[in-house]
Amino acid sequence: MALRNIRTEGDPILGKISKPVWEVTPKIKELIGDMLETMYNANGVGLAAVQVGILKRIVVIDVSEEGNDPIILINPEIIDKSGSQTGMEGCLSVPGKNGIVTRAEHVKVKAFDQNMKVFEIEGDELLARAFQHELDHLDGILYTSKVEGELEASED
Ligand code: NI
């Protein structure tokens, strides 16, 4: 595995729509491993393939405290959402900034795993926020377009 370069705001690729994955090739497996390593190395809780310059509908997320519970989503779709939460959000592609975003409180996601088997996963609170934030990346949307008020400087 290897670290990949994280694209940052202003890079036009972040505004592009990612393409579905039809087959999990060795190259895609390598990409997923690299995405996890890159996310953990940057202390992030989620990363979309577009953020490392690959326009494929792949997301990795880990909101666990220990950072040992990765969720890998291929071609994910939100199939249900409910409630509302308003809170601080950040993005590895927008370093040093935070902003307030309102998201659904609970979401259900349908996706494929690395064996291209379909599965469903539900999340609340931070996990629900991560699902929504990361899936937005696949459609070229950054959280900065949804921030209420001003972007703030983050503490880290
Ligand atoms: Ni992000």
Side-chain angles (χ1 to χ4, degrees):
M1 290 198 292
L3 292 178
R4 302 222 183 180
N5 189 33
I6 298 177
R7 306 298 184 92
T8 53
E9 202 180 15
D11 187 322
I13 200 168
L14 292 172
K16 297 197 168 155
I17 296 186
S18 295
K19 296 187 178 69
V21 173
W22 301 113
E23 189 189 356
V24 179
T25 60
K27 219 175 155 183
I28 297 275
K29 285 198 170 153
E30 186 184 345
L31 168 65
I32 291 168
D34 289 354
M35 285 171 64
L36 285 167
E37 190 176 344
T38 302
M39 174 183 75
Y40 289 129
N41 181 66
N43 294 314
V45 298
L47 191 71
V50 61
Q51 292 181 272
V52 295
I54 308 285
L55 285 169
K56 292 192 185 298
R57 301 188 82 83
I58 303 171
V59 158
V60 297
I61 289 173
D62 191 339
V63 297
S64 70
E65 262 173 47
E66 300 79 13
N68 58 4
D69 192 17
I71 297 168
I72 294 154
L73 304 172
I74 296 173
N75 304 337
E77 281 174 63
I78 291 174
I79 54 171
D80 196 21
K81 57 172 142 180
S82 59
S84 171
Q85 57 172 323
T86 298
M88 202 62 105
E89 204 158 303
C91 178
L92 294 177
S93 292
V94 190
K97 299 270 175 62
N98 283 137
I100 301 281
V101 183
T102 296
R103 303 276 191 186
E105 166 68 13
H106 177 93
V107 301
K108 189 192 275 189
V109 171
K110 183 175 116 181
F112 293 87
D113 67 14
Q114 290 190 83
N115 300 310
M116 288 309 274
K117 280 187 69 176
V118 72
F119 69 104
E120 290 181 6
I121 183 167
E122 296 184 49
D124 300 305
E125 299 175 354
L126 178 59
L127 181 55
R129 181 175 292 282
F131 284 147
Q132 293 166 88
H133 175 116
E134 297 308 328
L135 268 64
D136 272 353
H137 274 299
L138 303 182
D139 292 323
I141 298 166
L142 289 181
Y143 86 97
T144 49
S145 69
K146 299 187 168 178
V147 164
E148 297 156 29
E150 301 287 314
L151 273 179
E152 298 169 20
S154 65
E155 279 156 30
D156 42 63

